[in-house]
């Protein structure tokens, strides 16, 4: 330390004699309370041609001596901060002396930091008993400092064998990675990445081949046979498209069955029998209605068998009617393709089924005339209303409207006049007594649609219509050509209404069928401003698109009970009381489908229901006598 101080003094004298500024060195005074003290150069600055060296004490307690085991890289990083900046060319000799002395000091400090903790602690203890000048600056020659730096890490005798091996591995790894030339490889990769890449062109989707065959497509739709060979085009296909909704010519049509020969003696005999059948007076109605107990007993005796199930039409059955005869059982069914099927259950097998085609579209309403049961009136969506006369074997045209589609009809004034409803909400009053063509009066109503029309059984001037979401009661005497207003409107329905009918005997009740899965019964005993709601019955009326909609119809023999189809399993037809109680359910092994539309015989215990495949299901007593 004394030697270094002498060199610095001599340099200052020479610099002073030559006009150089003096260099101040701050010395650290030893603190006796610290276990170990070492010197570390912190900052060397040159301000106005004066070099200053700042030293600060660094101490560790005995318990933390192991923290001194730093790598050489850390010491070099700290020692690099003690580099003396270059001076002017005139002071080269002084600068070399000062730089060499500072390098010797930093090299000695690094060697002290890399020694083991025990030796460092021993040396620090010895330095505590020396003077400040001896402990701070040990004599180190410039040549020894150069030899230590050139010797490498293996010349540190103070390191343990493990640390020497570790330092050797670090040095060898550094040389190995330097030989790999990773920096040059990274530069080449960056150059490759930065090369301009041509923009990607949008991929053109291949056009779907029209002749491509899907794995799940029907072979029938593809028009190929099971072997995969294409079938020849059917020459009748264009004709089928044209004849989907053909408009039949006006005027009468001959009653010719499609499924049998018109010259058949059996068919001619059947026509004669049907023409001679007359309606028997309804003695049950005159004597009074049966009690609920007796009514349930009679319903329980009605059964279905294979002999009472037949397919009578090609498409779905859209309307059903029962002949009022008490001698023979004749059921009429209208289909969605304009057919009318007649089934005489008195005849055995398929001989009693006759199919006619008087219409081109849905036959939505069928009814035997109340004054002449030999007349079967039918109404279709094609805008025609015809009367099938069994005595003349002709379907006469009663009413024709090619502009508006017809929905339903009912009789007025002993069946001499008809009230016809249109899908667009209009009404027509047709008089059948007009020779040649029927006389028509056209009326408009506030209804957006009319699905069903039903006349009051006693007060024939009143009739009820079921529309889109409204039920109206009109007075036929006050109909106008424009803007006919209803007397009463039933607004309790939230969805479209399928039907609305008065009770058959007195008309004191009205039953409606709505798409909100509810059946409602109203009190119509007094036609006033509003009809009170008597009961609401939860019933599944959601039939879907492939089934005909349910319609609740009254039993003509029982004023307070009505019949409706059901979606429940097993399949059934249900009978409800006006209070909402279930009176009876018609079930059987032969009833395996949903009967959307049903009708009861006016005097006998016979029920006929039609499904959407063209089949009729008949429930009746096995014996011929009627239970009283």
């Amino acid at each position: 330390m004394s030697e270094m101080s002498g060199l610095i003094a001599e340099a200052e004298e020479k610099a002073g004699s030559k006009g150089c500024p003096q260099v101040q060195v701050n010395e650290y005074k030893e603190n006796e309370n610290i276990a170990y003290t070492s010197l570390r150069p912190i900052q060397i600055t040159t301000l106005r041609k004066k070099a200053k060296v700042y030293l600060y004490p660094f101490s560790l307690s005995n318990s933390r001596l192991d923290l001194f085991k730093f790598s050489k890289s850390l010491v070099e990083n700290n020692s690099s901060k003690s580099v003396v900046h270059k001076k002017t060319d005139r002071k080269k000799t002084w600068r070399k002396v000062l730089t060499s002395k500072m390098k010797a000091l930093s090299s000695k400090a690094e060697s002290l930091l890399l020694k083991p903790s025990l030796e460092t602690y021993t040396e620090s203890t010895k330095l505590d008993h020396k003077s400040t000048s001896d402990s701070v600056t040990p004599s180190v020659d410039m040549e020894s400092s150069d030899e230590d730096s050139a010797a490498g890490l293996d010349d540190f005798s103070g390191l343990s064998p493990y640390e020497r091996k570790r330092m050797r591995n670090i040095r060898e790894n550094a040389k190995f990675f330097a030989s790999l030339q990773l920096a040059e490889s990274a530069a080449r990769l960056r150059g490759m990445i930065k090369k301009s890449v041509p923009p990607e062109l949008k991929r053109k989707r291949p056009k779907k081949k029209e002749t491509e065959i899907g794995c799940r497509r029907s072979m029938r739709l593809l028009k190929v046979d099971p072997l995969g060979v294409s079938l020849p085009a059917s020459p009748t296909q264009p004709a089928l498209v044209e004849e989907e909704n053909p408009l039949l010519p006006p005027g009468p049509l001959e009653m010719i069955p499609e499924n049998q020969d018109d010259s058949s003696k059996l068919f001619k005999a059947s026509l004669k029998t049907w023409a001679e059948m007359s309606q028997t007076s309804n003695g049950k109605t005159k004597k009074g209605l049966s009690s609920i107990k007796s009514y349930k007993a009679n319903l329980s005796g009605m059964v279905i068998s294979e002999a009472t199930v037949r397919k009578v039409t090609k498409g779905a059955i859209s309307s059903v009617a029962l002949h009022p005869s008490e001698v023979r059982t004749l059921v009429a069914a209208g289909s969605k393709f304009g057919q009318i099927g007649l089934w005489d259950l008195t005849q055995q097998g398929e001989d009693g089924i006759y199919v006619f085609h008087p219409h081109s579209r849905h036959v939505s309403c069928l009814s035997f005339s109340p004054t002449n049961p030999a007349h079967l009136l039918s109404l279709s969506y094609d805008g025609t209303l015809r009367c099938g006369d069994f005595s003349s074997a002709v379907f006469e045209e009663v009413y024709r409207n090619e502009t508006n589609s017809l929905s339903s009809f009912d009789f007025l004034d002993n069946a001499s006049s008809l009230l016809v409803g249109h899908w667009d909400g209009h009404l027509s009053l047709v008089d059948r007594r007009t020779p040649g063509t029927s006389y028509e009066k056209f009326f408009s109503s506030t209804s957006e649609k009319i699905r069903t029309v039903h006349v009051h059984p006693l007060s024939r001037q009143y009739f009820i219509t079921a529309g889109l979401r409204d039920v109206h009661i009109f007075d036929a005497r006050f109909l106008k050509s424009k803007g006919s207003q209803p007397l009463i409107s039933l607004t309790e329905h939230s969805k479209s209404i399928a039907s609305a009918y008065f009770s058959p005997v007195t008309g004191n009740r009205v039953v409606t069928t709505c798409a909100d899965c509810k059946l409602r019964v109203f009190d119509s005993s007094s036609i006033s401003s509003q009809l009170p709601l008597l009961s609401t019955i939860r019933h599944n009326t959601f039939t879907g698109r492939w089934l005909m909609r349910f319609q609740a119809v009254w039993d003509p023999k029982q004023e307070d009970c009505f019949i409706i189809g059901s979606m429940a399993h097993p399949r059934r037809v249900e009978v409800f009381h006006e209070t909402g109680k279930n009176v009876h359910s018609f079930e059987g092994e032969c009833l395996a489908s949903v009967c959307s539309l049903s009708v009861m015989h006016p005097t006998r215990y016979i029920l006929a229901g039609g499904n959407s495949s063209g089949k009729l299901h008949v429930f009746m007593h096995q014996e011929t006598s009627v239970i009283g």
Side-chain angles (χ1 to χ4, degrees):
M1 185 66 182
S2 60
E3 182 180 356
M4 182 177 179
S5 300
L7 293 174
I8 295 174
E10 292 177 2
E12 287 178 351
E13 290 176 0
K14 294 179 180 180
S17 63
K18 295 180 180 182
C20 295
Q22 296 181 356
V23 178
Q24 297 180 0
V25 177
N26 295 331
E27 296 181 353
Y28 172 76
K29 294 183 179 182
E30 186 179 15
N31 189 356
E32 297 178 356
N33 297 328
I34 301 175
Y36 170 75
T37 306
S38 65
L39 298 178
R40 176 179 293 181
I42 297 303
Q43 183 177 4
I44 296 176
T45 61
T46 301
L47 299 175
R48 294 182 182 179
K49 300 181 181 181
K50 291 183 179 181
K52 294 183 180 181
V53 177
Y54 296 93
L55 304 177
Y56 81 102
F58 183 81
S59 63
L60 288 175
S61 60
N62 295 334
S63 60
R64 298 185 180 179
L65 291 177
D66 294 338
L67 298 177
F68 261 104
K69 295 180 180 180
F70 300 107
S71 62
K72 184 179 179 180
S73 62
L74 181 59
V75 177
E76 291 178 353
N77 187 23
N78 293 332
S79 63
S80 63
K81 298 181 181 179
S82 61
V83 179
V84 181
H85 296 284
K86 294 181 180 181
K87 307 299 180 179
T88 59
D89 296 338
R90 190 177 58 178
K91 304 170 184 177
K92 290 182 179 180
T93 305
W94 175 84
R95 184 164 58 246
K96 289 181 179 180
V97 174
L98 182 60
T99 304
S100 62
K101 294 296 182 180
M102 295 308 298
K103 285 183 178 181
L105 178 62
S106 62
S107 300
K108 192 63 178 179
E110 291 171 0
S111 63
L112 290 174
L113 291 175
L114 292 174
K115 284 184 179 181
S117 61
L118 182 59
E119 293 179 4
T120 305
Y121 178 75
T122 304
E123 185 178 355
S124 65
T125 307
K126 293 179 180 180
L127 291 175
D128 290 340
H129 296 89
K130 292 182 181 181
S131 62
T132 305
S133 61
D134 294 334
S135 61
V136 172
T137 313
S139 60
V140 180
D141 296 334
M142 293 176 62
E143 292 79 8
S144 64
S145 176
D146 296 337
E147 291 174 359
D148 291 341
S149 60
L153 295 175
D154 293 338
D155 296 335
F156 288 98
S157 59
L159 296 177
S160 63
Y162 170 76
E163 291 179 344
R164 287 197 301 270
K165 185 177 180 180
R166 177 174 174 271
M167 293 300 177
R168 192 182 304 110
N169 293 338
I170 292 175
R171 184 178 59 185
E172 292 176 357
N173 290 340
K175 291 181 179 180
F176 172 73
F177 282 112
S179 65
L180 294 179
Q181 298 180 353
L182 297 178
E184 292 79 355
S185 300
R188 288 196 302 270
L189 291 175
R190 283 193 294 270
M192 295 171 62
I193 294 174
K194 291 180 180 179
K195 290 181 179 179
S196 60
V197 180
E200 296 183 359
L201 298 177
K202 292 185 178 180
R203 181 184 176 186
K204 295 183 179 180
R205 295 183 178 180
K207 295 183 179 180
K208 188 177 180 181
K209 296 180 180 180
E210 298 180 356
T211 59
E212 185 178 357
I213 299 175
C215 59
R216 294 182 61 86
R217 293 187 64 182
S218 172
M219 298 183 71
R220 179 181 59 83
L221 297 178
L222 296 174
K223 298 179 181 179
V224 296
D225 60 6
L227 298 178
V229 180
S230 300
L231 298 175
S234 177
T236 59
Q237 185 175 359
L240 291 176
V241 175
E242 296 177 358
E243 295 178 1
E244 183 178 357
N245 296 317
L247 186 61
L248 299 180
L253 299 175
E254 295 185 7
M255 191 177 289
I256 302 174
E258 293 182 344
N259 60 332
Q260 293 187 17
D261 187 4
D262 56 348
S263 61
S264 173
K265 296 181 179 180
L266 183 60
F267 172 65
K268 293 181 178 180
S270 299
L271 284 178
K272 184 178 181 181
T273 303
W274 298 341
E276 294 175 353
M277 290 190 305
S278 59
Q279 182 180 4
T280 306
S281 61
N282 194 347
K284 296 287 180 181
T285 304
K286 295 180 180 179
K287 294 180 180 179
L289 299 175
S290 303
S291 62
I292 293 295
K293 184 177 180 180
S294 176
Y295 181 67
K296 293 178 66 175
N298 283 294
L299 295 180
S300 300
M302 299 169 61
V303 295
I304 188 173
S305 62
E306 294 181 359
T308 58
V309 178
R310 287 289 185 277
K311 182 176 178 64
V312 296
T313 61
K314 182 180 179 181
I317 293 178
S318 55
S319 55
V320 186
L322 269 171
H323 194 280
S325 173
E326 294 187 0
V327 179
R328 303 174 72 94
T329 303
L330 180 63
V331 187
S335 77
K336 60 184 276 187
F337 296 127
Q339 294 177 326
I340 294 179
L342 292 176
W343 183 19
D344 190 347
L345 276 74
T346 308
Q347 302 178 14
Q348 299 295 326
E350 302 293 335
D351 294 337
I353 298 176
Y354 305 93
V355 182
F356 309 95
H357 208 144
H359 300 281
S360 60
R361 297 185 61 191
H362 276 69
V363 180
S364 58
C365 192
L366 272 180
S367 180
F368 288 95
S369 174
T371 57
N372 188 359
H375 290 175
L376 175 63
L377 283 86
S378 59
L379 180 141
S380 174
Y381 289 1
D382 61 4
T384 59
L385 175 62
R386 295 183 179 275
C387 175
D389 191 352
F390 298 146
S391 58
S392 59
V394 171
F395 285 101
E396 297 179 355
E397 186 176 283
V398 177
Y399 174 66
R400 187 182 187 93
N401 191 326
E402 298 181 1
T403 304
N404 298 326
S405 181
L406 308 181
S407 59
S408 63
F409 76 95
D410 200 5
F411 299 98
L412 284 174
D413 300 333
N414 296 325
S416 59
S417 58
L418 302 174
L419 183 66
V420 180
H422 301 249
W423 276 109
D424 60 357
H426 289 83
L427 294 166
S428 296
L429 185 62
V430 179
D431 191 350
R432 296 181 61 194
R433 294 171 296 182
T434 305
T437 59
S438 300
Y439 175 72
E440 173 197 0
K441 287 184 178 180
F442 195 71
F443 305 99
S444 65
S445 66
T446 57
S447 302
E448 296 181 12
K449 283 186 178 182
I450 293 179
R451 295 182 182 274
T452 60
V453 174
H454 192 229
V455 179
H456 196 282
L458 298 180
S459 302
R460 307 294 296 179
Q461 69 273 17
Y462 298 122
F463 64 92
I464 189 170
T465 62
L468 187 62
R469 281 182 173 83
D470 46 14
V471 175
H472 297 314
I473 296 179
F474 292 90
D475 191 340
R477 298 170 297 181
F478 299 99
L479 291 177
K480 299 179 181 179
S481 58
K482 293 184 179 180
S484 299
Q485 297 297 324
L487 296 177
I488 302 172
S489 296
L490 306 180
T491 59
E492 288 82 358
H493 307 84
S494 59
K495 292 187 178 181
S496 63
I497 305 163
S499 61
Y501 295 108
F502 285 110
S503 56
V505 180
T506 62
N508 292 336
R509 299 289 184 268
V510 171
V511 61
T512 63
T513 307
C514 185
D516 59 2
C517 295
K518 291 181 181 179
L519 308 177
R520 295 174 175 85
V521 179
F522 297 88
D523 183 7
S524 59
S525 57
S526 176
I527 304 297
S528 59
S529 59
Q530 189 64 29
L531 301 184
L533 179 63
L534 295 180
S535 61
T536 301
I537 306 168
R538 293 288 304 177
H539 189 74
N540 184 8
T541 58
F542 185 74
T543 55
R545 62 176 298 187
W546 303 112
L547 301 180
M548 300 299 297
R549 298 184 64 178
F550 290 152
Q551 290 186 6
V553 295
W554 296 97
D555 186 352
K557 301 182 297 299
Q558 197 70 21
E559 171 75 8
D560 51 1
C561 295
F562 56 88
I563 303 99
I564 188 172
S566 176
M567 296 292 294
H569 290 275
R571 299 307 187 189
R572 66 193 68 179
V573 178
E574 296 183 315
V575 181
F576 288 98
H577 192 262
E578 63 180 17
T579 58
K581 296 181 180 180
N582 185 285
V583 178
H584 185 72
S585 294
F586 292 99
E587 301 177 13
E589 295 181 357
C590 297
L591 181 61
S593 59
V594 178
C595 288
S596 300
L597 301 174
S598 302
V599 64
M600 288 286 287
H601 195 278
T603 57
R604 302 166 60 188
Y605 282 92
I606 300 176
L607 180 142
N611 65 6
S612 294
S613 63
K615 285 186 178 181
L616 281 175
H617 301 75
V618 178
F619 290 84
M620 58 190 305
H621 286 283
Q622 296 293 339
E623 63 275 7
T624 55
S625 60
V626 179
I627 301 177

